[in-house]
Amino acid sequence: MAKTRSAQHAEWLRRGQAVLGGAVTSFVLPETHAVVLSHGLGSRVVDVDGREYIDYVLGSGPLILGHAHPAVVEAVSRQAALGSTFYTLTPAAIELAEELVRAVPCAEVVKFVSTGSEATFHALRIARTYTGRSKVLKFEGGFHGTHDYALVSAFPNEPTEQPCPRPDSAGIPPEVTQTVIVSRWNDLEYTRELIERHADELAAVLCEPLQRALPPAPGFLSGLRELTQRHGILLVFDEVVTGFRLAYGGAQERYGVVPDLATFGKALSGGYPLAAIAGRCEIMAVTDYGRRARGEPLAYLSGTLNGNPLAASAGLATLAVLRQPGVYEHLYRITDQLKVGLRELAAARGVPVQVIGDGPVFQVVFAEEEPRDAPALLRADRERAVRFGLACLERGLFVNPGEKFYVSLAHTEDDVARTLDVFAAALDAVLAEPVTGC
Ligand SMILES: Cc1ncc(COP(=O)(O)O)c(C=O)c1O
């Protein structure tokens, strides 16, 4: 059972329910576990009752330095005093773009937007403009945001051998979904067949190089690189999660495969709303506004808050910390301690648990074997994973039940020790509950 909340906390929840339907995103906790957070510091968040949690949600990933890192607070405060938005170039936006170009192998030119969804939307528009083709291939279970082209087979509900493009939301015109081809993650032969069949109409192959928490099989990403190159299709890595998280140069650095275009968000701007599309100069040139006057196809890209200087300053401060020696070693070490510790706790109890992921992001899957694709995740015991997450919440970990855990630079070995105690108690709680089937 969740701890009792104060009357004041219950009142906040009632008001949030009345005007926000109880949520600001798709992260919706059951009424028994819903919380209203008041603030965060380092690895901790605190609810309006003053109850503290070790945070593994981290704002859904952006807070790679933890909450309210002093360097980020200082940078944003300094910029806020100078003005918050200008709708034109600023030193902060220019410097952040320069840093992205220095850090990321595929990045020669950068365009800023405000959200990861906008970034993947525009990456696809750029790819279509550049190639003159209209279709896109993505992978079942891959998530690329909320626009109509992204919400296709991101949340499959049953395992199938041949995934069919299926809209994940009502309100998406069928004509849009028909422009998306869906393949099987980590199945290069299946993907090769689809790419070869649709080569003349494919503008892009879009993937999360670490799909949710499913690492790429050896040779899968390089296979995609080779196939797309051969057929003049753009390879787009959605690095909204992996960018600056798996390595400073993102998944493309970690896995050694360089795409044509990549999208960034989350860690790039350290918890402030900014995202980016980066790629080769020749491709990004289709966003040059001069093209319209010259009668050339223009991939139109704009936005009131694009390159926002507050967010760009937060990003610059975040990246400066990430460049310090030992940062990624810390992130990987802490995450490994959590993953190894949880595997040991599960093994000692005879519970089939797989802890999947790469770098400072992982997911707890209740399954006998390590899942490698979306169907395998669907065959796992999701209900148990959700109950495990809820049991963690009840014991002071802020988690998104059944979803990924994010780790920040602010997480310490003391956090690991406390977290493993909670994991042990949460596993016991899950084991003690009757199996209801899923
Ligand atoms: C891989 C990936 N791409 C794109 C997005 C969309 O980003 P945003 O929520 O900023 O629109 C997300 C969000 O979680 C994501 O995980």
Side-chain angles (χ1 to χ4, degrees):
M1 271 313 258
K3 282 212 175 133
T4 325
R5 3 180 135 88
S6 70
Q8 177 218 4
H9 198 161
E11 177 60 7
W12 275 118
L13 284 168
R14 189 200 62 72
R15 288 169 60 185
Q17 184 63 42
V19 289
L20 290 165
V24 289
T25 64
S26 60
F27 176 30
V28 185
L29 290 169
E31 199 280 326
T32 43
H33 293 70
V35 288
V36 177
L37 293 183
S38 133
H39 59 279
L41 192 61
S43 64
R44 308 302 169 99
V45 286
V46 180
D47 72 16
V48 291
D49 281 335
R51 183 170 188 228
E52 193 175 278
Y53 300 79
I54 305 177
D55 186 14
Y56 291 102
V57 176
L58 296 176
S60 191
L63 298 167
I64 193 157
L65 306 185
H67 291 268
H69 188 284
V72 176
V73 172
E74 198 273 324
V76 172
S77 309
R78 189 168 13 91
Q79 180 61 50
L82 297 172
S84 62
T85 194
F86 302 100
Y87 198 58
T88 192
L89 291 173
T90 59
I94 294 167
E95 285 180 7
L96 185 63
E98 286 173 345
E99 190 50 40
L100 226 153
V101 168
R102 264 193 293 274
V104 173
C106 84
E108 289 176 2
V109 170
V110 175
K111 285 284 166 187
F112 286 129
V113 288
S114 298
T115 67
S117 298
E118 281 176 273
T120 61
F121 174 81
H122 283 292
L124 297 184
R125 179 178 284 173
I126 289 168
R128 290 194 193 97
T129 309
Y130 180 77
T131 60
R133 304 170 182 168
S134 59
K135 291 199 174 170
V136 168
L137 183 143
K138 76 176 284 287
F139 294 90
E140 187 185 33
F143 181 71
H144 304 289
T146 55
H147 57 84
D148 289 356
Y149 301 97
L151 281 179
V152 180
S153 304
F155 311 121
N157 49 20
E158 58 184 36
T160 56
E161 284 300 307
Q162 299 194 338
C164 289
R166 211 180 50 84
D168 297 300
S169 168
I172 297 177
E175 295 79 3
V176 171
T177 305
Q178 281 157 20
T179 66
V180 182
I181 293 163
V182 178
S183 188
R184 292 169 55 107
W185 179 243
N186 276 338
D187 190 336
L188 191 58
E189 280 320 302
Y190 189 87
T191 307
R192 179 195 310 278
E193 209 268 309
L194 277 178
I195 289 179
E196 284 172 357
R197 193 173 342 140
H198 296 279
D200 293 346
E201 45 185 1
L202 273 175
V205 168
L206 169 66
C207 71
E208 294 183 79
L210 167 70
Q211 182 169 296
R212 310 283 74 204
L214 294 169
F220 184 66
L221 295 177
S222 54
L224 293 182
R225 179 64 288 184
E226 195 267 315
L227 278 168
T228 47
Q229 222 145 24
R230 190 181 324 147
H231 294 287
I233 301 164
L234 298 191
L235 179 61
V236 184
F237 278 3
D238 178 354
E239 295 235 37
V240 167
V241 166
T242 53
F244 299 96
R245 179 165 277 280
L246 293 198
Y248 193 65
Q252 47 197 283
E253 176 188 316
R254 173 134 176 94
Y255 299 133
V257 175
V258 181
D260 298 297
L261 292 175
T263 54
F264 296 86
K266 300 204 191 250
L268 169 66
S269 48
Y272 289 78
L274 180 143
I277 307 110
R280 286 212 316 277
C281 203
E282 167 212 358
I283 301 168
M284 296 297 286
V286 299
T287 62
D288 170 5
Y289 299 106
R291 288 171 70 92
R292 183 169 278 164
R294 296 195 296 271
E296 294 163 3
L298 164 71
Y300 186 84
L301 187 160
S302 189
T304 302
L305 294 173
N306 285 5
N308 175 261
L310 291 174
S313 303
L316 283 167
T318 301
L319 301 194
V321 175
L322 290 177
R323 285 196 299 280
Q324 289 170 8
V327 162
Y328 287 92
E329 287 79 355
H330 177 89
L331 287 166
Y332 273 69
R333 188 175 62 249
I334 292 290
T335 314
D336 263 7
Q337 289 171 358
L338 290 166
K339 287 163 75 171
V340 170
L342 177 54
R343 284 189 193 118
E344 284 171 3
L345 292 167
R349 288 161 176 77
V351 199
V353 164
Q354 309 297 324
V355 193
I356 60 170
D358 193 16
V361 54
F362 67 92
Q363 187 173 342
V364 184
V365 179
F366 286 76
E368 295 287 347
E369 283 177 22
E370 187 180 328
R372 297 188 192 280
D373 56 16
L377 278 179
L378 284 165
R379 285 191 290 269
D381 190 341
R382 180 166 168 82
E383 194 187 316
R384 256 191 171 182
V386 170
R387 278 195 277 132
F388 174 77
L390 292 174
C392 289
L393 265 166
E394 289 160 15
R395 291 163 177 80
L397 304 186
F398 195 63
V399 303
N400 188 347
E403 302 296 330
K404 288 179 286 191
F405 285 62
Y406 285 103
V407 178
S408 81
L409 192 62
H411 285 83
T412 62
E413 295 196 351
D414 182 50
D415 289 332
V416 172
R418 288 176 192 223
T419 300
L420 291 178
D421 284 347
V422 171
F423 281 170
L427 284 174
D428 290 338
V430 168
L431 281 174
E433 282 181 37
V435 176
T436 52
C438 57

